[in-house]
Amino acid sequence: MSAHLASLQGRIAAACRDARRNTEDVTFIGVSKTRAAEDIRPLLAAGLRHFGENRVQEAADKWPALRAQYPDITLHAIGRLQSNKAASAVALFDVIHTLDRVKLADALSDEMQKQNRPLPCFIQVNTGDEKQKGGIAPDALEDFYAYCTKTRNINVTGLMCIPPADDIAALHFALLKKYAARLGLSALSMGMSADFESALRLGATHIRVGSALFSG
Ligand SMILES: *Cc1c(COP(=O)(O)O)cnc(C)c1O
């Protein structure tokens, strides 16, 4: 298990060297969705502290026990969030990557105030304009960003995308970087098992890696 972690850390270091970037500027998020606590423990023992989950209920079932043992973990919400789950999401997670619509911004902002947990958030952008996928449409991004930050006081730190499966991921990473630069945002949550090296070349600060971490 941690053999995969060591090999991924080597690949990240190499990609950062090629791009003349510091590895310290990259947050490696182990995507632990569908993985049992027994499979997560070796990664915790090896020192990994950032994890991503895509379902609130699953995270609620798995993480409180692990967190009791490792209080310094950071849990990232990377899946589509329903606004009626905002209360548990704000209580459980430390970073939200999938802020993508007004109703969710309202619900999260209300809960973050109520719980006094102003979580850093990424706005998810639907760079491929895919109907079935979450994310704000690129042409609505600027207004949505203003709404989140000015009207709702949300701490938006960056942008996130999931490129269409049948497209060249690098094109979407470059687009996301351009959108972030326009808004003056530096954090970029992009890159998964198949394409994190390309994402790192294009400025990813948060990569989300699941299958390559757990099954090589
Ligand atoms: C599952 C998932 C990942 C990890 O994907 P892998 O290809 O297994 O690395 C990353 N981001 C999101 C949003 C996911 O749902």
Side-chain angles (χ1 to χ4, degrees):
M1 205 68 66
S2 35
H4 296 320
L5 177 61
S7 126
L8 284 166
Q9 280 165 340
R11 286 171 62 189
I12 292 164
C16 284
R17 242 184 342 264
D18 286 351
R20 300 179 196 286
R21 299 186 55 202
N22 280 321
T23 45
E24 298 87 79
D25 298 335
V26 175
T27 301
F28 178 89
I29 301 169
V31 175
S32 48
K33 65 183 186 206
T34 76
R35 311 290 171 173
E38 306 88 88
D39 296 328
I40 299 171
R41 282 184 191 285
L43 297 167
L44 286 162
L48 192 62
R49 287 296 179 270
H50 289 265
F51 291 88
E53 290 282 345
N54 66 344
R55 292 180 58 242
V56 175
Q57 189 54 54
E58 185 185 340
D61 291 342
K62 262 181 349 202
W63 281 97
L66 294 168
R67 217 197 262 278
Q69 200 180 349
Y70 297 92
D72 59 338
I73 66 128
T74 301
L75 201 55
H76 299 256
I78 62 167
R80 196 150 201 187
L81 280 175
Q82 289 168 266
S83 45
N84 64 7
K85 300 236 173 86
S88 356
V90 168
L92 261 172
F93 291 103
D94 305 293
V95 184
I96 308 279
H97 289 243
T98 48
L99 176 59
D100 68 350
R101 57 198 191 278
V102 166
K103 194 175 173 197
L104 181 60
D106 289 344
L108 288 174
S109 154
D110 287 348
E111 277 304 326
M112 291 192 280
Q113 270 179 33
K114 203 150 113 193
Q115 301 182 30
N116 192 24
R117 277 176 59 78
L119 307 185
C121 295
F122 289 79
I123 293 178
Q124 182 181 353
V125 185
N126 190 351
T127 55
D129 263 320
E130 295 173 284
K131 280 198 180 61
Q132 79 285 6
K133 203 169 261 177
I136 189 94
D139 61 7
L141 173 60
E142 200 174 322
D143 286 347
F144 183 60
Y145 173 73
Y147 180 78
C148 291
T149 54
K150 298 204 175 79
T151 309
R152 298 302 324 214
N153 241 336
I154 296 175
N155 175 20
V156 176
T157 55
L159 302 181
M160 177 271 212
C161 76
I162 307 170
D166 57 356
D167 211 346
I168 298 167
L171 298 176
H172 296 270
F173 299 154
L175 264 180
L176 196 70
K177 184 181 181 170
K178 187 176 83 176
Y179 299 149
R182 268 188 208 155
L183 299 173
L185 293 168
S186 54
L188 291 168
S189 169
M190 58 190 198
M192 317 200 298
S193 291
D195 50 30
F196 69 86
E197 281 146 323
S198 153
L200 287 171
R201 277 195 291 279
L202 289 160
T205 58
H206 293 66
I207 58 173
R208 312 177 308 264
V209 177
S211 42
L213 179 62
F214 285 91
S215 41

